Amino acid sequence: MDQSRARKKPTPSRKAPSKYVEIESALRAEIESGVYPVGSLLPTEHALCERLSASRFTVRQALAGLKASGHIEPRAGLGTIILRDKPREAITHTMSSFEDLLIYPGETYRKHLAISVEQLAPTLAHFLGVASGQKWSCLKAMRLARGTDAPISWLDAYVKPEFADVLDQPNPNGVSILKQIEERHCHFAANAQVEIFVGRIEEDLSEPLQCDTGAPALIILRRYKNSDGEIYLVTYSVHPESRFSLNFEFEKQVSPTIA
């Protein structure tokens, strides 16, 4: 046997983590242990560069990781504020059927903030896809993660008057308004129009959603029609960046071959 083949191959050395990963981990540990309490400011980039002997680019990479996990948030004219001492809640929703498109995962719930009756002005009616002048019930709410006060999304929901009583009903399981209407009125959606697009957090939503005005947001507009083609429920939900995701799963159906 060739002796060179008999020699034991050297064990490859484990690659050391990147500098920014080490810095991100160290800062996260300091935040979670209370060195930098919630509500306080993180040292400036310049101060962190000097303290950690790192370039500004490396420090910014580390801070980007902390921002993505929800620990920190840069505030113009103020600095980088500590938002929370634990990673932000993020909900992932995998859809495998039409039904899944209509509801949120069970680990979230809807918190009602205000219910009103609105006579639809032409602009709003056009947006909803219905005739102007009608009176619809409007719900303003937030969807939160169970066991925390972490806001997942903001919700504006518009419901035809004959189904609006579901908004006053107990909803311990946090099911969707669509499902409540099905269960209480035996009224089912025959068609769902869904628009998903990227927008920005408006000023009036920045405080309840705990994010900056102008921050990126995933916006989902859903219009539900009955078998007569009439829209009876419209929901408009705003999800701040990294709070919620929709994962589509498709399966190709192969028709059997006829001999």
Side-chain angles (χ1 to χ4, degrees):
M1 176 185 291
D2 191 317
Q3 291 185 357
S4 62
R5 293 186 180 181
R7 294 194 191 104
K8 184 178 181 181
K9 293 183 179 181
T11 303
S13 58
R14 180 176 298 177
K15 186 178 180 181
S18 301
K19 178 73 171 177
Y20 79 89
V21 175
E22 295 179 346
I23 292 175
E24 179 184 339
S25 178
L27 291 176
R28 180 180 287 107
E30 290 179 340
I31 292 171
E32 295 182 351
S33 65
V35 174
Y36 301 113
V38 173
S40 67
L41 294 177
L42 202 64
T44 64
E45 285 184 4
H46 179 72
L48 290 173
C49 288
E50 287 193 346
R51 173 195 153 192
L52 301 167
S53 301
S55 67
R56 177 160 290 188
F57 176 76
T58 298
V59 168
R60 284 181 177 176
Q61 281 186 296
L63 296 181
L66 293 174
K67 182 177 183 297
S69 63
H71 286 87
I72 64 172
E73 185 70 41
R75 299 285 172 84
L78 179 63
T80 301
I81 192 169
I82 310 299
L83 285 185
R84 49 180 59 81
D85 57 7
K86 291 182 175 61
R88 178 172 51 206
E89 295 282 341
I91 303 298
T92 299
H93 185 184
T94 301
M95 297 189 301
S96 57
S97 68
F98 182 75
E99 278 277 311
D100 290 340
L101 182 63
L102 311 180
I103 59 174
Y104 278 84
E107 62 266 27
T108 69
Y109 69 97
R110 191 175 70 240
K111 179 181 180 181
H112 291 195
L113 301 177
I115 300 175
S116 61
V117 177
E118 294 189 18
Q119 186 167 3
L120 303 181
T123 301
L124 178 58
H126 177 74
F127 178 75
L128 299 180
V130 300
S132 62
Q134 299 179 3
K135 289 185 177 180
W136 283 49
S137 291
C138 175
L139 166 69
K140 295 187 180 299
M142 293 182 65
R143 187 161 287 275
L144 308 173
R146 292 191 183 279
T148 76
D149 292 325
I152 303 301
S153 65
W154 177 270
L155 172 68
D156 286 316
Y158 296 86
V159 187
K160 290 197 73 172
E162 55 262 44
F163 305 120
D165 59 342
V166 301
L167 302 178
D168 297 318
Q169 300 301 312
N171 188 21
N173 296 324
V175 301
S176 67
I177 298 173
L178 181 78
K179 192 68 175 177
Q180 287 184 284
I181 293 175
E182 289 179 355
E183 293 175 349
R184 185 170 179 83
H185 294 278
C186 295
H187 195 86
F188 298 89
N191 176 272
Q193 297 176 337
V194 182
E195 297 179 31
I196 302 175
F197 54 96
V198 175
R200 298 284 178 180
I201 299 296
E202 297 182 2
E203 185 176 0
D204 61 333
L205 296 185
S206 62
E207 184 175 347
L209 288 175
Q210 300 178 19
C211 57
D212 286 340
T213 299
L218 177 70
I219 300 175
I220 305 177
L221 173 65
R222 300 177 175 96
R223 299 183 183 95
Y224 301 116
K225 296 181 180 181
N226 58 24
S227 57
D228 295 326
E230 297 177 339
I231 295 175
Y232 65 96
L233 170 64
V234 180
T235 64
Y236 179 85
S237 52
V238 181
H239 309 76
E241 183 182 27
S242 303
R243 307 278 181 91
F244 179 79
S245 65
L246 287 169
N247 298 318
F248 295 84
E249 181 178 326
F250 298 95
E251 181 177 345
K252 183 178 181 180
Q253 298 294 326
V254 181
S255 300
T257 302
I258 300 177

